[in-house]
Amino acid sequence: GYVRRGLFGEFCRRLHIPIQHYAVFCVVSFMLLAALFWMFWRTMRRSGLDAASLGVFTALLASSFCITLLTNLVGYYDIPMAMMVLAVMQFNAPRVQAIAALLAAIAGVLMHDLYAIAYLPVSLAGIACALDEGTYRRKGLIALTTAAIIVPWTIVLLPAGRLTTAAIAQLNGAIHTRIDFPFHEGVLLAIFSDSIHANVARMLGNMRAGTYWIEECFALLAFLPATLFFLAAAWRIAGKERRQLRLYFAICTFAPLLLNLVAYDRYCWLGMMELNAAICAMAVCWRRSLTSDRQAELRFGMKWRRAAILLIALNLATDVGLFQGSSHPFPFLSYWGDYKAAKQAHRPILQPPEI
């Protein structure tokens, strides 16, 4: 029967890929990660964004924290889902791209239900660019924008089947008999026992704590600068007169932040945000290269290149924790730790010197 997030495992079973063995699982995971990076490089070059910026956009994407996050998440569904979005972009014809986006949406939701919010709108970015080119097609862009807001949440909030504790325990036992590496049993309990409405209620309760938003702001310091840079580049390529297209890019970019209402995995949602901004920039630049005059070459000036180099330097000089325990947190987060320690000790943060 239907099992949530079971498509990838079923696909590997059909191809006789024994991912239940840890060595095979590692090889498959790192091959998918390498394929994703190759698709990033290929898409950046084909879009013309790399040539327009003399390579600094590729360098910025390579140094960004979303690449750090994807490398940290090797073996997770985030990587094949991002690959499907980039695969949709490889088609030039809007109709073919729409069919590919539909097929990717079906496969993506069966792989992980959060694909609908995180990646479905951005997979249609190229189609949105095509719809905005004609006067009569702009109504289609408005409809696409509305659908990008309503359809993903409709898919995620649909009532899903829930398993009893005994059934989850039976499923855990069946998995343990097949795999040869440790398995986190609590994952299945979180997926199958609680409804999406219970998860939203739990997250809203967490958001009532003031420290939640303080930590969110510190996490944004790592991902937001490069995100705004790629979004600004997409807006510049689109042009000031294409306001509806700019709005659609903003929706695609910040849509993953709504996943904070579903689950506590903020670094993952912020990484998706940064990745979507880069995909929007590549999509609109690619569409421009297909429709505009070849002589009207796109060029980013020295200010853009200097800003990108500054962001590259900041990305390489700073760090982000990613919940790994032993890794170092983002530098500004350490200040927050000092603040909490000082607050617990009931002493001011900045003490006067002892004279």
Side-chain angles (χ1 to χ4, degrees):
Y2 168 70
V3 178
R4 290 179 65 187
R5 308 179 188 179
L7 178 63
F8 185 79
E10 180 65 18
F11 180 76
C12 291
R13 189 184 70 85
R14 297 274 183 174
L15 296 179
H16 303 286
I17 302 176
I19 58 172
Q20 67 270 17
H21 299 298
Y22 188 68
V24 178
F25 176 76
C26 287
V27 171
V28 172
S29 299
F30 279 98
M31 287 179 64
L32 289 175
L33 182 66
L36 175 63
F37 290 161
W38 177 80
M39 292 183 71
F40 273 134
W41 173 80
R42 185 177 187 270
T43 307
M44 186 72 78
R45 285 183 60 87
R46 290 191 65 184
S47 67
L49 194 61
D50 191 52
S53 60
L54 300 180
V56 295
F57 280 86
T58 303
L60 178 58
L61 181 62
S63 70
S64 64
F65 283 116
C66 71
I67 297 298
T68 305
L69 178 76
L70 289 172
T71 306
N72 183 265
L73 293 178
V74 59
Y76 280 68
Y77 288 146
D78 304 70
I79 293 171
M81 288 192 298
M83 290 177 62
M84 287 191 294
V85 176
L86 294 176
V88 171
M89 294 179 59
Q90 307 307 311
F91 300 98
N92 293 331
R95 291 183 180 180
V96 180
Q97 200 173 91
I99 296 174
L102 177 61
L103 296 176
I106 296 173
V109 171
L110 292 178
M111 183 179 298
H112 198 300
D113 42 343
L114 298 185
Y115 177 93
I117 296 178
Y119 290 119
L120 179 57
V122 76
S123 67
L124 302 173
I127 303 172
C129 296
L131 290 175
D132 194 56
E133 290 167 1
T135 304
Y136 297 101
R137 291 183 174 183
R138 292 187 177 178
K139 293 182 179 179
L141 178 59
I142 297 175
L144 184 64
T145 304
T146 306
I149 299 174
I150 298 176
V151 173
W153 280 101
T154 302
I155 295 174
V156 172
L157 295 177
L158 281 176
R162 298 171 61 183
L163 296 179
T164 62
T165 305
I168 295 175
Q170 183 180 1
L171 185 58
N172 276 324
I175 292 176
H176 273 294
T177 59
R178 297 192 62 190
I179 62 176
D180 58 359
F181 53 90
F183 173 66
H184 297 287
E185 297 183 358
V187 174
L188 290 183
L189 187 64
I191 295 175
F192 293 108
S193 62
D194 290 338
S195 64
I196 189 68
H197 303 284
N199 292 334
V200 171
R202 185 185 305 113
M203 291 307 303
L204 290 176
N206 294 333
M207 290 180 183
R208 293 190 180 97
T211 54
Y212 177 92
W213 296 106
I214 295 176
E215 293 173 359
E216 184 78 14
C217 292
F218 283 124
L220 280 171
L221 289 175
F223 294 91
L224 190 60
T227 299
L228 295 178
F229 182 86
F230 282 118
L231 181 60
W235 282 14
R236 179 184 182 275
I237 299 170
K240 296 181 179 180
E241 66 281 357
R242 304 172 75 178
R243 296 180 180 178
Q244 295 176 355
L245 185 60
R246 285 183 164 195
L247 174 62
Y248 188 81
F249 288 158
I251 292 174
C252 293
T253 298
F254 297 109
L257 294 183
L258 296 175
L259 293 173
N260 284 296
L261 296 173
V262 179
Y264 189 88
D265 201 357
R266 62 162 56 95
Y267 284 118
C268 189
W269 316 146
L270 292 173
M272 291 176 179
M273 174 190 70
E274 188 173 355
L275 179 63
N276 286 357
I279 292 176
C280 287
M282 289 186 283
V284 67
C285 189
W286 195 333
R287 189 63 193 174
R288 183 185 184 277
S289 65
L290 294 175
T291 57
S292 62
D293 187 3
R294 293 293 181 181
Q295 296 180 354
E297 295 183 356
L298 177 66
R299 283 287 180 266
F300 286 89
M302 186 60 67
K303 293 182 179 179
W304 284 88
R305 278 175 262 168
R306 287 175 178 173
I309 292 173
L310 175 62
L311 291 176
I312 292 171
L314 289 175
N315 287 339
L316 296 179
T318 54
D319 196 2
V320 65
L322 298 176
F323 298 123
Q324 292 303 306
S326 59
S327 58
H328 300 289
F330 191 71
F332 294 104
L333 193 57
S334 63
Y335 300 152
W336 169 239
D338 296 338
Y339 169 73
K340 289 194 294 185
K343 187 177 180 180
Q344 292 175 358
H346 300 287
R347 55 186 176 83
I349 300 177
L350 299 177
Q351 293 189 7
E354 296 181 0
I355 301 177

